[in-house]
Amino acid sequence: MAETNIKDFLMENVGSPNREEEVKLKRFKSPFKIRGLDAEEISEIRKQATRRVLNRRTHQYESETDQNKVAELTLTASVVYPDLQNEELQKSWGCLGDPAKLLKKMLYVGEYSKLSDAVMDASGMNEDADNPDDLIETAKN
């Protein structure tokens, strides 16, 4: 096994896990600016989307995570620009105090999906997935 050095793991040698990227959507003059989220932020979002529910059969409380809410909170937490908390923007789209609803009203389904995919990439969520080309190459060898 190769010998490792603790310096290989220091932040100044690896870089911050939070990456910022711009996502251009055709209908908007300016690009959306998003940032990747780290594991701690995703964990906090999961907590916000989890509630305790009573299982009527067992009479025990169980944790239930709303995956749609996790996705909404992840996306809204990742958007740096435009400021989804901006009152003028919220008024314009009729979504006062609800950044998740604001994004859903602003974006077509394809745009929402493109932005969501970019957030997943910026957060490193797609890096562990095997690249189909790599799998094919591995299978050939």
Side-chain angles (χ1 to χ4, degrees), residues 68-87:
N68 289 330
K69 188 169 184 175
V70 169
E72 289 174 1
L73 292 172
T74 299
L75 193 54
T76 56
S78 298
V79 174
V80 175
Y81 187 82
D83 178 5
L84 300 178
Q85 301 292 343
N86 181 283
E87 186 177 349

Side-chain angles (χ1 to χ4, degrees), residues 28 40 47 55 71 75 87 89-90 102 105 107-108:
F28 299 92
E40 184 178 2
K47 283 181 192 173
N55 182 325
L75 193 54
E87 186 177 349
L89 184 62
Q90 290 179 353
L102 172 63
K105 279 203 164 198
L107 303 175
Y108 292 141

Side-chain angles (χ1 to χ4, degrees), residues 22-41:
E22 290 186 348
V23 179
K24 182 68 179 121
L25 301 175
K26 289 180 185 177
R27 293 187 311 126
F28 299 92
K29 288 182 182 179
S30 296
F32 280 71
K33 189 173 187 179
I34 59 163
R35 67 182 184 88
L37 301 178
D38 60 33
E40 184 178 2
E41 290 170 302

